[in-house]
């Protein structure tokens, strides 16, 4: 958002380098409320209604004009080059909204407008998603229980679930994570005592703490989705449970 001044990129506040976002135009700020959505549909001759096929949500782009308070000498420019010159997406958020972050990297040229002493840069950051994300939230439970999972985001979320077996888990006494609201039931029917099974519901993957052990054949792979609002979650079995998740926002 162009009315915000400071931002943090890759863990470093812009103020640390004497950099602030500025509005070089006049009048109202020009911001993008949501990234673009492309609709794919088919038309049939003689019909007035298109047949919907799918939509594609483009990744977020953030354009900024950033003022260099310490001038544009080569030392300062080298610092900025090293900061922005990354090979993968890094966390970014505006200091006024630390509860909303994206993972982004510079795309295209970085332009500098200056008089030889003072100036500002024009940069475009491209993210790896059409969504803003919350910081990581955590929920820990020492045993079987029922609790209300509150998702304050605007989209469904898919948690990372870490299950630690307190004893041997079998098909006669499985471990379950049940979303009472939707009826989803994630079930694991075999774990050794002390084993830790990490279940990534977003990327649909399982990882055991035991070497050369794979648990896909003893898990029903009904990965849990948490809709917006409040969802009662039931935890079943002789295990402890940890949830790690980010909420999503458009």
């Amino acid at each position: 958002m162009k009315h915000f001044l400071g931002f943090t990129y890759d863990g470093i506040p812009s103020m640390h380098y004497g950099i602030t976002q500025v509005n070089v135009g006049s009048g109202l700020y020009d911001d993008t409320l949501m990234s673009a959505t492309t609709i794919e549909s088919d038309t049939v001759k003689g019909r007035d209604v298109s047949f919907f096929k799918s939509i594609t949500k483009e990744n977020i782009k953030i354009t900024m004009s950033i003022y260099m308070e310490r001038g544009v000498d080569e030392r300062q420019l080298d610092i900025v080059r090293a900061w922005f010159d990354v090979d993968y997406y890094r966390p970014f958020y505006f200091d006024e909204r630390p509860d909303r972050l994206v993972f982004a990297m510079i795309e295209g040229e970085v332009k500098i407008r200056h008089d030889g002493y003072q100036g500002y840069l024009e940069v475009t950051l491209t993210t790896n998603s059409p969504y803003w994300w919350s910081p990581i939230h955590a929920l820990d439970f020492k045993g079987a229980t029922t609790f209300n999972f509150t998702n304050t985001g605007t989209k469904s979320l898919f948690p990372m679930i870490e299950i630690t077996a307190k004893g041997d888990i079998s098909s006669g006494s499985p471990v379950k994570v049940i979303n009472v609201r939707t009826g989803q039931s994630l079930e694991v029917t075999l774990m050794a005592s002390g084993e830790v099974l990490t279940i990534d519901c977003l990327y649909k993957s399982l990882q055991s703490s035991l070497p050369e052990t794979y648990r896909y054949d003893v898990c029903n792979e009904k990965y849990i989705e948490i809709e917006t609002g409040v969802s009662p979650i039931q935890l079943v079995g002789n295990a402890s449970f940890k949830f790690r998740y980010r909420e999503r926002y458009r």
Side-chain angles (χ1 to χ4, degrees):
M1 298 297 178
K2 291 186 170 57
H3 61 292
F4 295 149
L5 296 177
F7 59 90
T8 295
Y9 182 60
D10 198 15
I12 302 174
S14 62
M15 299 296 186
H16 180 73
Y17 294 141
I19 289 176
T20 57
Q21 184 178 208
V22 293
N23 180 27
V24 296
S26 59
L28 298 176
Y29 296 105
D30 183 10
D31 274 317
T32 300
L33 182 62
M34 295 191 303
S35 61
T37 298
T38 301
I39 302 172
E40 185 177 356
S41 60
D42 283 336
T43 57
V44 178
K45 185 177 181 179
R47 292 179 179 267
D48 295 329
V49 178
S50 298
F51 292 95
F52 172 80
K53 294 177 65 178
S54 65
I55 63 171
T56 300
K57 297 175 182 177
E58 294 185 9
N59 293 345
I60 296 168
K61 290 185 181 293
I62 302 169
T63 58
M64 295 188 296
S65 299
I66 53 178
Y67 178 67
M68 301 182 65
E69 296 177 350
R70 299 172 187 171
V72 294
D73 63 81
E74 281 301 316
R75 180 176 177 277
Q76 288 301 120
L77 293 176
D78 281 343
I79 289 173
V80 174
R81 290 186 186 106
W83 186 29
F84 285 154
D85 187 19
V86 298
D87 296 324
Y88 197 68
Y89 301 101
R90 304 298 174 92
F92 171 95
Y93 62 86
F94 290 107
D95 293 346
E96 290 88 343
R97 290 302 306 267
D99 59 332
R100 300 283 190 276
L101 62 90
V102 291
F103 299 89
M105 60 192 302
I106 295 291
E107 183 177 33
E109 295 181 326
V110 177
K111 294 286 190 179
I112 178 170
R113 299 185 182 278
H114 64 98
D115 60 6
Y117 302 97
Q118 300 292 324
Y120 66 91
L121 307 177
E122 295 179 341
V123 302
T124 298
L125 291 164
T126 298
T127 73
N128 63 349
S129 167
Y131 301 107
W132 292 84
W133 303 85
S134 74
I136 295 176
H137 298 301
L139 298 170
D140 294 353
F141 302 94
K142 295 182 178 180
T145 189
T146 299
F147 71 98
N148 285 331
F149 198 131
T150 302
N151 175 10
T152 62
T154 60
K155 304 292 290 185
S156 295
L157 64 84
F158 301 86
M160 181 90 71
I161 306 172
E162 185 179 290
I163 301 172
T164 302
K166 294 182 177 181
D168 290 337
I169 302 299
S170 66
S171 58
S173 55
V175 171
K176 298 180 182 180
V177 179
I178 303 170
N179 186 335
V180 178
R181 179 178 173 184
T182 63
Q184 283 179 301
S185 179
L186 175 66
E187 183 173 329
V188 179
T189 58
L190 181 64
M191 291 179 67
S193 180
E195 179 183 354
V196 180
L197 185 62
T198 302
I199 303 172
D200 189 331
C201 294
L202 178 60
Y203 293 107
K204 297 179 172 55
S205 65
L206 309 175
Q207 183 174 353
S208 172
S209 61
L210 300 180
E212 299 182 6
T213 300
Y214 307 96
R215 296 301 192 192
Y216 288 98
D217 59 337
V218 295
C219 176
N220 65 355
E221 296 189 71
K222 302 294 184 181
Y223 297 100
I224 296 297
E225 176 181 357
I226 306 296
E227 298 176 344
T228 58
V230 178
S231 298
I233 302 296
Q234 184 179 1
L235 307 177
V236 178
N238 186 24
S240 62
F241 303 81
K242 295 181 179 180
F243 291 77
R244 302 291 183 270
Y245 62 94
R246 295 183 188 273
E247 293 169 329
R248 293 191 298 167
Y249 304 85
R250 278 285 281 183

